[in-house]
């Protein structure tokens, strides 16, 4: 048991009859098309793009900034602007560490039932580093794709 946290990306890919440039989505497993999954019924693709375990400072940020303070284990929409802000905060925390400053006011930890350690230790900074890097890569992918933009959702459970 513990705080498990997920960021997913949902991309809408439904074809409608009135669309002039139709596309086809197929699902393969071991290089074989899954016949039980009909391409005309696929409307959304969900990707698991990030997973954290007991990164309570990241969780607290999502609760405070994307969930209106509601910590309910539900899925919440996260704007790209929110992701940009979180990445910037994580980068700022890493700069503070390099300068010997405290990160406590910028991205504070939060205690909770099975939320893990609240120390500003190596694990805390590693989660900040991985979060910033992953978000920057995700946002860059979105810019490069140029076809369908996905929407991001955060969910935690404990």
């Amino acid at each position: 048991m513990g705080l498990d946290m997920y960021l997913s990306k949902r991309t809408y890919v439904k074809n409608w009859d009135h669309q002039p440039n139709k596309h086809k989505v197929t699902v393969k497993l071991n290089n074989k098309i899954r016949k039980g999954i009909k391409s005309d019924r696929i409307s959304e693709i969900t990707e698991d793009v990030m997973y954290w375990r007991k990164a309570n400072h990241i969780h607290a940020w999502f609760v405070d900034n994307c969930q209106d303070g509601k910590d309910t284990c539900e899925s919440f929409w996260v704007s790209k602007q929110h992701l940009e802000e979180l990445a910037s905060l994580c980068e700022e925390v890493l700069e503070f560490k390099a300068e010997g400053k405290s990160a406590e006011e910028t991205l504070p930890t939060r205690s909770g039932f099975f939320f893990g350690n609240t120390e500003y230790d190596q694990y805390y900074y590693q989660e900040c580093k991985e979060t910033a890097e992953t978000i920057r890569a995700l946002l860059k992918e979105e810019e490069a794709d140029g076809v369908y933009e996905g929407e991001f959702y955060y969910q935690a459970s404990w």
Side-chain angles (χ1 to χ4, degrees), residues 3 34 53 63 88 154-155:
L3 176 62
R34 293 286 311 266
R53 176 129 174 97
V63 170
S88 293
Y154 172 79
Q155 184 168 8

Side-chain angles (χ1 to χ4, degrees), residues 32-96:
K32 293 181 181 175
I33 293 178
R34 293 286 311 266
K35 294 180 182 176
I37 299 174
K38 307 293 184 209
S39 64
D40 60 335
R41 296 189 299 203
I42 297 172
S43 60
E44 182 178 84
I45 296 172
T46 301
E47 301 172 73
D48 296 327
V49 294
M50 188 151 196
Y51 168 78
W52 301 264
R53 176 129 174 97
K54 296 186 180 184
N56 56 66
H57 54 298
I58 304 293
H59 176 66
W61 186 88
F62 277 111
V63 170
D64 294 343
N65 293 278
C66 301
Q67 299 176 208
D68 294 324
K70 299 174 190 166
D71 197 356
T72 57
C73 294
E74 296 174 67
S75 181
F76 288 87
W77 177 76
V78 180
S79 71
K80 290 181 182 122
Q81 291 77 20
H82 277 123
L83 290 177
E84 176 70 40
E85 181 182 336
L86 178 57
S88 293
L89 284 173
C90 288
E91 291 162 348
E92 188 175 328
V93 161
L94 295 171
E95 288 174 19
F96 285 170

Side-chain angles (χ1 to χ4, degrees), residues 11 16 24 30 33 51 62 64 69 74 78 84 92 97 99 103 110 112 117 124 127 130-131 139 144 151 153 156-157:
T11 306
W16 295 99
K24 186 172 183 173
N30 296 327
I33 293 178
Y51 168 78
F62 277 111
D64 294 343
E74 296 174 67
V78 180
E84 176 70 40
E92 188 175 328
K97 180 184 180 204
E99 297 170 0
R110 182 171 297 167
N117 187 355
Y124 171 92
E127 291 294 340
E130 290 175 9
T131 299
L139 295 175
E151 291 192 334
Y153 290 84
S157 66

